[in-house]
Amino acid sequence: MVMGLSSSFQESGNASMEGVARVTTADHNQVQALMKPNSVDLSYVRHVVPDRISVGTELNIPLRNVLEPNWRVGGQFRFKQSTVSTSIDKAGSVQTVVELKPKQIFQVQLAANVNTWKDSYKFGVAFMLNL
C-alpha cells in the first residue's frame, strides 16, 4: 500500500493540499484515491488476463457539487501486434483507439470519439516511425 500527502502555499495566500492512497493486490489489481483541493478522484483497475486484458473505472466527485459526479468505464485489450483501448463516460462519449504495430519500426493509430447525444463524431489516424 502506498500513501502520500503534499501541500503547497502560494504567494496569493491560497493553500492547497493533495493526498493519494494506492493499493495494489498480489494479482496487480489497483485501487487509487486522489484528493485534490476541489475534487476527489477514485479509480479501480482489474487485470482480467495479466498483460492482455484490463478493465477499469474512474469516478471524479467535485466537492462543490457532490451530487453530480463524473465517471468513465473502459477496457484495454492487448494482442501480439495491436492494442485496442475503449471507454465510455457519463456524457455518452465513446472513445476508442486502435494501435497497430505491424513492424517494430512502424506504427499506426486509429482513433474515434463518438457522442451521439451531442451529434459529435471525430475520427483520426496517425502514422509513426520509431527510428
Side-chain angles (χ1 to χ4, degrees):
M1 184 160 110
V2 176
M3 296 184 80
L5 181 67
S6 66
S7 61
S8 65
F9 185 78
Q10 300 170 355
E11 286 185 30
S12 61
N14 296 333
S16 67
M17 185 174 283
E18 294 184 4
V20 64
R22 182 179 302 136
V23 177
T24 303
T25 62
D27 51 355
H28 303 291
N29 296 328
Q30 282 188 345
V31 176
Q32 179 174 317
L34 174 64
M35 183 156 184
K36 298 178 182 176
N38 297 324
S39 67
V40 175
D41 295 335
L42 305 171
S43 64
Y44 173 74
V45 176
R46 173 155 169 65
H47 299 283
V48 180
V49 178
D51 296 327
R52 290 284 184 197
I53 300 173
S54 301
V55 294
T57 184
E58 297 176 354
L59 178 65
N60 173 277
I61 304 168
L63 296 179
R64 295 180 187 207
N65 194 0
V66 295
L67 298 178
E68 291 194 25
N70 298 311
W71 54 265
R72 177 186 312 263
V73 178
Q76 185 175 56
F77 309 90
R78 292 182 196 92
F79 304 100
K80 287 183 181 179
Q81 294 182 340
S82 62
T83 301
V84 178
S85 302
T86 187
S87 67
I88 185 169
D89 63 16
K90 175 186 173 182
S93 178
V94 178
Q95 301 166 354
T96 301
V97 176
V98 178
E99 185 177 298
L100 306 168
K101 296 180 187 175
K103 300 286 182 185
Q104 194 70 291
I105 195 169
F106 183 67
Q107 185 175 337
V108 178
Q109 285 186 347
L110 306 170
N113 185 338
V114 177
N115 189 335
T116 56
W117 296 347
K118 294 183 178 179
D119 203 26
S120 172
Y121 305 92
K122 299 175 186 174
F123 300 94
V125 62
F127 300 96
M128 290 174 266
L129 288 174
N130 300 323
L131 302 175

